[in-house]
């Protein structure tokens, strides 16, 4: 079982306490009524779905109940970092070391 | 291996105490623990803005808060079991994925047992209180009974 570091509990805790909650850093449009149907569709449904480093939301639902963000490498399922929901996106190269 | 009939742990349903779920956006300067899992007086910190208050002092604590806060009495929402005995960690390990051996005495946590959300409080090295929503209690209790038979049989 994976251990996930909760940035609010400040502990490594079992995956079963957590729930995945989709891609992170998706900004809601300031004025949705100004968007075309295609732009609204992209906001709602179109995601990056990368093979590799992915920024995503998780919720410690069976714990402190907070949403937070994580950087996960989707091939090996390795968590590179987790950070609080109000913190900025971390720099990928500082997490993966050799990434260019 | 010699089979025994003593599972080394007992499960007792406790009468419901006063239970209040408290939400406070900014607990700075208030009489509440702020480290998640910490217990001070009757208050267990479940999350950055959430506490479970248990016992006779709960209502007084709420009355003394400067506010604003949200406090809801949920005494009858849950069932509390007292789990006690040298095999208590073996019993909990049958359904709880947390490393409970490293949980300090006097601390607590919200976690899962099987698929049910529970709140655990470690009262002593060999004694925990497990609080589970009422509708999940028969499921959890039935799993405890199976696990206790397995532990007693030396499995
Ligand atoms: Zn947490």
């Amino acid at each position: 079982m994976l251990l996930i570091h909760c940035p609010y509990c400040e502990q490594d805790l079992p995956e079963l306490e957590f729930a995945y909650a989709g891609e992170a850093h998706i900004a809601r449009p300031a004025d949705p009524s100004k968007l075309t149907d295609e732009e609204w569709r992209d906001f709602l449904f179109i995601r990056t779905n990368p093979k590799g480093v992915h920024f995503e939301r998780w919720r410690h639902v069976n714990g402190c109940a907070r949403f937070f963000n994580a950087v996960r490498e989707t091939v090996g399922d390795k968590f590179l970092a987790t950070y609080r929901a109000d913190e900025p996106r971390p720099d990928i190269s500082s997490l993966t070391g050799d990434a260019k | 291996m010699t089979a025994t009939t003593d599972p080394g742990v007992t499960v007792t349903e406790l009468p419901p105490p006063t239970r209040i779920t408290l939400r406070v956006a900014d607990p700075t300067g208030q009489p509440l623990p702020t480290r998640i899992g910490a217990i001070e007086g009757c208050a267990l910190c479940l999350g950055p803005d959430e506490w479970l208050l248990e016992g006779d002092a709960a209502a007084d604590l709420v009355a003394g808060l400067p506010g604003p806060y949200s406090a809801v009495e949920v005494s009858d929402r849950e069932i509390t079991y007292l789990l006690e005995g040298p095999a208590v960690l073996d019993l909990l390990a049958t359904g709880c994925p947390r490393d409970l051996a490293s949980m300090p005495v006097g601390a607590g946590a919200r976690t899962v047992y099987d698929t049910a959300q529970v709140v655990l409080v470690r009262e002593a090295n060999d004694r925990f209180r497990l609080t589970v929503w009422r509708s999940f209690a028969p499921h959890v209790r039935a799993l405890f009974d199976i696990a206790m038979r397995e532990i007693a049989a030396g499995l």
Side-chain angles (χ1 to χ4, degrees), chain B:
Chain B
M1 177 180 283
T2 313
T4 68
T5 52
D6 177 15
V9 59
T10 57
V11 177
T12 313
E13 182 178 332
L14 299 179
T18 299
R19 264 191 277 264
I20 293 175
T21 177
L22 175 73
R23 308 296 297 264
V24 179
D26 179 11
T28 311
Q30 307 208 28
L32 295 166
T34 52
R35 193 169 44 78
I36 293 169
I39 298 174
E40 272 177 41
C42 65
L44 162 62
C45 183
L46 290 177
D49 61 356
E50 183 178 3
W51 291 262
L52 179 66
L53 314 179
E54 285 185 311
D56 296 338
D60 287 342
L61 192 156
V62 171
L65 290 174
Y69 59 81
S70 154
V72 180
E73 204 222 309
V74 292
S75 306
D76 249 5
R77 186 179 70 177
E78 284 139 326
I79 301 276
T80 298
Y81 293 113
L82 185 72
L83 317 175
E84 187 170 22
V88 68
L89 288 173
D90 295 334
L91 179 70
L92 284 167
T94 59
C96 179
R98 269 207 194 209
D99 175 17
L100 293 174
S102 67
M103 177 187 269
V105 171
R110 186 159 48 194
T111 178
V112 285
Y113 184 84
D114 195 57
T115 52
Q117 190 176 88
V118 301
V119 173
L120 282 175
V121 172
R122 188 169 203 175
E123 295 189 329
N125 266 327
D126 62 353
R127 189 169 76 241
F128 285 80
R129 265 189 294 128
L130 177 142
T131 298
V132 59
W133 281 37
R134 176 173 289 280
S135 56
F136 292 105
H139 174 66
V140 169
R141 182 65 202 248
L143 289 175
F144 282 156
D145 289 342
I146 294 169
M148 287 164 74
R149 286 202 298 277
E150 290 180 346
I151 295 169
L155 294 176

Side-chain angles (χ1 to χ4, degrees), chain A residues 4-11 13 17-18 59-68, chain B residues 36 46-48 98 110:
Chain A
I4 300 176
H5 184 84
C6 174
Y8 294 93
C9 293
E10 297 176 322
Q11 291 182 70
L13 293 167
E17 293 188 2
F18 295 84
R59 187 181 182 205
H60 192 190
V61 59
N62 293 305
C64 65
R66 289 303 90 186
F67 281 91
F68 61 92
Chain B
I36 293 169
L46 290 177
R98 269 207 194 209
R110 186 159 48 194

